[in-house]
């Protein structure tokens, strides 16, 4: 479904709205990787920190920073689908942008 929208302004707007300034502020991709690991771990900070190979306090700090950048509580399960879709859409836009 996202692939069909890859060239649309609506998809770009969705990513921008959902991820806020995360894309601009996270040049190395560390925060995006952290958010993805957290979401893919079902919101488990223990599992996400293990997956990333970082201390739980480091994960908690990164999640707070991500929350500031996306202007939402990333630990709230109600925001997880939006954030996960936005990350996937952003990845798709990056790949499609590299092809052009």
């Amino acid at each position: 479904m996202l692939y069909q929208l890859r060239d649309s302004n609506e998809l770009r707007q969705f990513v921008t709205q959902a991820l806020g300034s995360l894309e601009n502020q996270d040049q190395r991709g560390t925060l995006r990787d952290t958010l993805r690991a957290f979401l893919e771990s079902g919101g488990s900070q223990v599992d996400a920190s293990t997956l990333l190979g970082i201390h739980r306090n480091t994960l908690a700090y990164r999640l707070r920073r991500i929350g500031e950048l996306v202007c939402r509580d990333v630990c709230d399960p109600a925001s997880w689908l939006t954030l996960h879709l936005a990350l996937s859409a952003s990845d798709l836009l990056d790949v499609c942008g590299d092809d052009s």
Side-chain angles (χ1 to χ4, degrees), residues 11 13 16 19 21 24-25 31 35 38 40 44 46 68 73-74 81-82 90 94 97 99:
L11 188 61
Q13 289 173 345
T16 300
L19 296 182
S21 60
N24 296 331
Q25 298 293 320
L31 296 177
L35 179 57
F38 175 71
E40 290 176 357
S44 168
V46 172
E68 293 169 1
D73 180 5
V74 297
L81 179 59
T82 299
S90 176
D94 289 345
D99 290 346

Side-chain angles (χ1 to χ4, degrees), residues 3 5 13 17 23 40 44 49-50 54 60-61 72 77 86 91:
Y3 186 74
L5 298 171
Q13 289 173 345
Q17 183 180 23
E23 300 228 297
E40 290 176 357
S44 168
S49 62
T50 300
I54 60 175
Y61 167 77
R72 65 179 78 217
D91 291 344

Side-chain angles (χ1 to χ4, degrees), residues 2-68:
L2 290 177
Y3 186 74
Q4 293 174 348
L5 298 171
R6 71 189 177 278
D7 294 323
S8 71
N9 284 332
E10 289 84 4
L11 188 61
R12 283 179 180 75
Q13 289 173 345
F14 168 71
V15 169
T16 300
Q17 183 180 23
L19 296 182
S21 60
L22 178 65
E23 300 228 297
N24 296 331
Q25 298 293 320
D26 185 30
Q27 297 299 317
R28 294 185 340 198
T30 303
L31 296 177
R32 285 172 53 118
D33 292 343
T34 299
L35 179 57
R36 182 173 284 110
F38 175 71
L39 294 171
E40 290 176 357
S41 296
S44 168
Q45 291 190 22
V46 172
D47 292 346
S49 62
T50 300
L51 181 65
L52 292 166
I54 60 175
H55 193 274
R56 287 190 326 218
N57 291 344
T58 302
L59 178 71
Y61 167 77
R62 288 183 186 177
L63 291 175
R64 281 192 304 277
R65 181 70 180 128
I66 293 165
E68 293 169 1

